[in-house]
Amino acid sequence: MDPSKRQKYVLVTGGAGYIGSHTVVELLSAGYAIVVMDNMYLNDINIEALRRVERLSGRPVQFFKGDVTCVSDLQRVFSLYNFWAVIHFAAIKAVGQSTRIPLDYYYNNVTGSLLLLRVMKEFNVKNIVFSSSATVYGEPDKCPVDETARVGPVTNPYGRTKLFVEEMLRDLCASDPDWNACLLRYFNPVGAHPSGLIGEHPQGIPNNLMPYVIRVLQGRSPYVHIYGSDYDTVDGTGVRDYIHVCDLATGHVAALKKLDTKPGCVAYNLGTGVGLSVMEIVKTMEKATQKKIPYKIEDRRPGDIATCTADASLANRELGWYPTRGVEEMCEDMWRWTRKNPMGYDGEILVSDEDDDSS
Ligand code: UFG
């Protein structure tokens, strides 16, 4: 018998992306047998990301090129390997873009998830970790927000795709006790692997704060636009719960272990519980980089809320998961990745003497 049929694998959809690639490193170091399925939307960028993951972990990554919206791709990968669980990252994620091309978002994120679940059912694979978002809470009534808070109304199509897939998984688990789903609600993922080998590949002008700050540090934009200084927060600027991408990655390993206990459908916040204002982020980044960061205070951004932080005590208790990296580390790691890879994966990796101590 083909050995790949006997061994039990975890399928990681979207494993060549930002959070996916960091999670693959953690899964490999925890000893999981995995297969990455990715449509390689960014071609060479995604290929290079996986190459670096292999370099970091010293292990080959089994890879299948395929798209979650293509049933024959899904059926092919499920017939090639014996999966026991799926970690489902594959999705598009730009809030602003989702308001312009909502059908692409519903197709990729909702239809893609639906087709994946149908093929999982066909092959009797009924364990899934789903990449969700704190955006499902819309504007929470209280912060820190816990998982008992109501979900929605959500203010943009991207967020609604996450909420719809959560609801689909809830219905599915209620219909059949063999299904188990961990819905991981990410707060604000930032940072990069401390090696500086993998990180977030910049695409166009970023909407999110941290990648925009990086862009200013690189001299590619003149200043940071601070959207609002009159919120009811510590210094008037918006407060968020930033979480290091490597902590997020270990959250997925913990969720995978949880699936073994047959929990049914459970949602977990993945955040630190620490709220940081835009100004605090700018100042910490200045310290990490030893550079001045110019900024301008502007009007509030439509749709933004004052504060959004996580009560992650359920994940602490039930998954035994605790984030360990603070904001300084987030900024330092992000800067190391940027210095080594000014154009992301698109270009030569630059190494200087001061990088030698990075592991
Ligand atoms: N901000 C600025 N200037 C910028 C960008 C952002 O001042 O150039 C401010 C925002 O007003 C907000 C904070 O920085 O106060 C964080 O904004 P981000 O755009 O980085 O992140 P959001 O909290 O708006 O949204 C992010 C993800 C969503 C996800 C959500 C979950 O982009 O996909 O976190 O909490 F749903």
Side-chain angles (χ1 to χ4, degrees):
M1 187 185 174
D2 178 351
S4 63
K5 277 281 174 202
R6 247 177 293 140
Q7 183 159 18
K8 287 265 192 181
Y9 288 85
V10 176
L11 176 65
V12 184
T13 75
Y18 172 45
I19 302 172
S21 56
H22 288 80
T23 302
V24 168
V25 169
E26 291 300 330
L27 289 166
L28 290 173
S29 86
Y32 284 97
I34 63 162
V35 175
V36 168
M37 173 167 140
D38 200 293
N39 65 4
M40 304 310 251
Y41 169 71
L42 298 173
N43 297 311
D44 294 352
I45 303 299
N46 298 121
I47 293 170
E48 182 60 19
L50 286 182
R51 212 176 277 148
R52 304 253 187 114
V53 167
E54 290 186 328
R55 205 170 128 189
L56 257 178
S57 47
R59 285 178 58 184
V61 174
Q62 306 223 42
F63 172 69
F64 180 91
K65 185 167 191 253
D67 195 301
V68 286
T69 60
C70 175
V71 174
S72 58
D73 284 354
L74 287 165
Q75 286 171 327
R76 178 92 186 117
V77 75
F78 275 83
S79 52
L80 282 173
Y81 297 92
N82 188 12
F83 294 116
W84 71 272
V86 175
I87 303 182
H88 180 34
F89 291 107
I92 41 179
K93 62 164 188 178
V95 172
Q97 186 188 48
S98 77
T99 62
R100 292 188 294 277
I101 48 169
L103 293 183
D104 292 38
Y105 274 73
Y106 288 113
Y107 184 64
N108 276 281
N109 297 5
V110 182
T111 307
S113 299
L114 174 60
L115 296 175
L116 169 67
L117 291 168
R118 283 175 63 125
V119 174
M120 286 174 69
K121 185 171 176 225
E122 184 184 330
F123 285 81
N124 202 32
V125 180
K126 295 184 172 178
N127 293 309
I128 184 165
V129 175
F130 175 59
S131 179
S132 188
S133 165
T135 195
V136 299
Y137 294 117
E139 190 161 350
D141 294 331
K142 69 170 179 71
C143 265
V145 59
D146 69 28
E147 297 83 351
T148 62
R150 55 141 183 81
V151 287
V154 178
T155 51
N156 59 77
Y158 159 75
R160 271 189 284 278
T161 67
K162 291 292 170 188
L163 183 55
F164 290 174
V165 177
E166 281 204 3
E167 301 287 14
M168 204 150 71
L169 286 165
R170 245 185 296 280
D171 287 340
L172 186 58
C173 292
S175 74
D176 174 354
D178 288 342
W179 275 95
N180 300 290
C182 285
L183 319 175
L184 302 184
R185 295 175 177 163
Y186 312 155
F187 280 68
N188 291 58
V190 293
H193 193 274
S195 62
L197 274 182
I198 59 171
E200 185 168 21
H201 179 83
Q203 282 178 69
I205 299 176
N207 287 310
N208 293 122
L209 176 65
M210 278 287 226
Y212 201 91
V213 170
I214 292 288
R215 200 179 154 86
V216 172
L217 281 163
Q218 288 182 303
R220 295 163 73 197
S221 289
Y223 55 86
V224 176
H225 308 252
I226 296 189
Y227 298 134
S229 61
D230 56 351
Y231 286 110
D232 183 14
T233 60
V234 57
D235 55 23
T237 64
V239 166
R240 295 291 183 275
D241 187 329
Y242 296 89
I243 174 159
H244 195 294
V245 65
C246 292
D247 280 329
L248 211 50
T250 59
H252 291 76
V253 178
L256 207 52
K257 284 191 194 127
K258 181 73 185 174
L259 289 176
D260 266 340
T261 69
K262 305 207 168 303
C265 188
V266 267
Y268 295 105
N269 286 343
L270 295 187
T272 61
V274 177
L276 292 161
S277 74
V278 175
M279 204 57 99
E280 286 169 324
I281 289 289
V282 168
K283 293 295 158 203
T284 315
M285 205 47 143
E286 283 188 338
K287 222 165 125 195
T289 58
Q290 300 290 306
K291 285 174 188 275
K292 194 98 198 101
I293 301 174
Y295 64 82
K296 265 195 192 161
I297 308 282
E298 297 183 3
D299 289 346
R300 292 181 179 192
R301 189 171 64 174
D304 270 355
I305 54 178
T307 301
C308 186
T309 56
D311 177 339
S313 52
L314 191 68
N316 302 157
R317 257 192 338 268
E318 293 197 358
L319 303 181
W321 171 83
Y322 295 87
T324 61
R325 297 151 179 98
V327 62
E328 287 82 10
E329 221 167 325
M330 298 177 202
C331 292
E332 282 160 13
D333 290 344
M334 202 143 169
W335 186 232
R336 184 179 304 108
W337 154 254
T338 307
R339 271 189 304 132
K340 283 192 171 187
N341 310 269
M343 308 298 286
Y345 291 112
D346 213 0
E348 284 300 297
I349 182 159
L350 308 175
V351 185
S352 65
D353 290 348
E354 54 182 314
D355 295 322
D356 285 351
D357 60 343
S358 56
S359 52

